[in-house]
Amino acid sequence: MRIATLTSGGDCPGLNAVIRSVVRTSSAEYGSTVVGYEDGWVGLLEDRRVQLYDDEGIDRLLIRGGTILGTGRMKTEVFKEGIDRIKENLADANIDALIPIGGEGTLKGAKFLADNGVPVVGVPKTIDNDVNNTDYTFGFDTAVAVATDAVDRLHTTAESHNRVMIVEVMGRHVGWIALHSGMAGGAHYIVIPEEPFDINEIVKSMERRFQMGEKYGIIVVAEGAKPKDGTMELEDRGTDVFGHKIFAGIGEMIGKEFTRRTDYDVRTTVLGHIQRGGTPTAFDRVLATRYGVHATRAVHEGDFGSAVALQSGEVVRIPLSEAVGQLKTVPPGRYRTAKALFG
Ligand code: F6P
């Protein structure tokens, strides 16, 4: 077979490990070859592709962050209008199957192609860990490790200066990174998009902490966190060209509210893309590798219109329709568990 792969949406540690895994499995188990389209769906539409060889170079990809193919985003209308061109490009390049690697948006694109007769098997990725029906996506563990390290480091400087430290982490719709890094780092309060926050409650929680003799506090906030209606004004900065909400810096806003209401010395740290860069953790390397092997096998068994997923520790195949349409949010019970340790 001749297989094509591409990486689309925000990058994340482990993408290269999937590419390596697809190339090696295709070659070693099936004698198949693999090409990569550059810069996500854009490269497929513009027919920009590179041959990927099962050589030393591909082996070195295991530990390399980012994606050697490049990634990108594309407006849904442009993508849908380009369906005939995409089909032509795949046919002209003699591609038998496509393995797109991406998050919810990419998998929706994959489903659209599958519904239009393109042989596709999707691989879920995102540091946000919000793809439905899979326990984990690779990239998440690395992001949590980076954010936890940051929280660990902020403890000592916060304590030295008797400060309230606010750490803003990624998570546009879901709070998995905030929840896990906050729990692992022993944060004193965690704010996630799924649970609209009350600024009064957060301030009171810090006050209780200081009254009990503690000298500092750490608050981890997901970038997509929202206040309860009527409790705090938020700046609305609209959406970007892809329709994604532009965040106005929720960590900084919570910090300002603290300064307005209390005498605490407050500092905010925004981790941003540091969480997405660099080498993947061992967990993410293994998960990415397993996804690559299983996606390649699914392709060779003709199981198109599916995506690989991790369920109860096993890599399984699910219909693409089950991976999209709904995000995997933090269940209320998981937040309540974390809350038991606040303060
Ligand atoms: O990969 C998902 C994500 O990390 C979100 O949490 C974040 O809001 C977004 O990507 C930012 O991506 P970019 O800056 O590349 O648009």
Side-chain angles (χ1 to χ4, degrees):
M1 277 181 110
R2 191 162 148 82
I3 296 162
T5 188
L6 58 84
T7 53
S8 172
D11 76 322
C12 93
L15 285 169
N16 282 326
V18 181
I19 295 169
R20 166 185 180 262
S21 178
V22 168
V23 172
R24 296 216 61 182
T25 310
S26 295
S27 153
E29 284 193 6
Y30 302 98
S32 296
T33 56
V34 182
V35 297
Y37 282 100
E38 295 173 329
D39 303 330
W41 298 125
V42 186
L44 177 53
L45 207 57
E46 294 175 356
D47 197 25
R48 286 190 280 112
R49 64 191 134 88
V50 286
Q51 188 68 44
L52 298 168
Y53 297 100
D54 182 12
D55 58 12
E56 254 177 60
I58 213 82
D59 242 0
R60 283 196 286 267
L61 290 186
L62 180 60
I63 62 169
R64 185 162 152 189
T67 161
I68 53 155
L69 292 176
T71 186
R73 295 194 172 100
M74 185 180 262
K75 282 187 176 171
T76 312
E77 317 85 78
V78 179
F79 176 71
K80 289 191 171 174
E81 280 161 16
I83 181 73
D84 292 336
R85 169 64 61 83
I86 287 173
K87 283 177 153 182
E88 269 166 40
N89 288 349
L90 290 170
D92 289 351
N94 296 315
I95 303 296
D96 300 300
L98 177 65
I99 302 181
I101 312 166
E104 153 93 0
T106 304
L107 297 177
K108 271 187 183 152
K111 182 175 179 309
F112 176 75
L113 293 187
D115 291 345
N116 280 277
V118 178
V120 174
V121 173
V123 174
K125 72 89 215 172
T126 161
I127 64 163
D128 291 351
N129 199 35
D130 59 2
V131 174
N132 206 25
N133 281 311
T134 184
D135 296 343
Y136 290 103
T137 44
F138 60 87
F140 171 66
D141 187 65
T142 308
V144 168
V146 171
T148 302
D149 181 55
V151 175
D152 287 349
R153 286 167 190 278
L154 288 168
H155 273 280
T156 57
T157 175
E159 188 173 25
S160 305
H161 286 265
N162 298 354
R163 278 176 173 156
V164 172
M165 285 282 183
I166 297 163
V167 194
E168 185 183 303
V169 299
M170 278 188 169
R172 107 180 346 259
H173 303 293
V174 303
W176 287 108
I177 297 176
L179 186 84
H180 279 226
S181 62
M183 288 179 82
H188 308 114
Y189 209 100
I190 301 169
V191 191
I192 62 173
E194 294 88 335
E195 304 271 341
F197 67 88
D198 183 344
I199 187 70
N200 299 308
E201 196 190 299
I202 305 177
V203 171
K204 274 194 198 134
S205 160
M206 279 303 123
E207 282 173 345
R208 272 196 302 276
R209 187 174 157 73
F210 278 71
Q211 277 156 15
M212 281 165 61
E214 300 294 348
K215 292 164 72 188
Y216 76 103
I218 308 258
I219 302 169
V220 175
V221 185
E223 63 186 346
K226 300 176 276 287
K228 277 187 184 156
D229 283 346
T231 55
M232 195 175 134
E233 282 303 306
L234 273 199
E235 195 188 328
D236 184 0
R237 293 176 58 193
T239 54
D240 67 13
V241 286
F242 301 105
H244 292 166
K245 188 174 162 42
I246 299 172
F247 293 113
I250 191 70
E252 203 57 62
M253 282 185 235
I254 292 177
K256 277 191 190 146
E257 282 297 312
F258 257 93
T259 309
R260 206 168 64 77
R261 292 158 186 252
T262 70
D263 292 333
Y264 299 145
D265 194 14
V266 184
R267 294 290 187 277
T268 300
T269 302
V270 181
L271 292 188
H273 295 80
I274 290 169
Q275 294 157 96
R276 250 169 48 182
T279 187
T281 58
F283 179 90
D284 282 339
R285 291 179 207 181
V286 173
L287 182 59
T289 302
R290 292 173 75 196
Y291 277 171
V293 171
H294 282 268
T296 307
R297 288 182 183 158
V299 155
H300 285 87
E301 287 162 23
D303 202 351
F304 299 123
S306 64
V308 290
L310 187 72
Q311 293 181 351
S312 306
E314 294 303 318
V315 177
V316 297
R317 295 174 199 168
I318 59 174
L320 273 165
S321 56
E322 286 183 16
V324 300
Q326 200 182 327
L327 291 177
K328 187 186 66 188
T329 51
V330 173
R334 286 293 296 277
Y335 188 64
R336 276 201 305 278
T337 302
K339 223 171 170 178
L341 279 296
F342 287 4

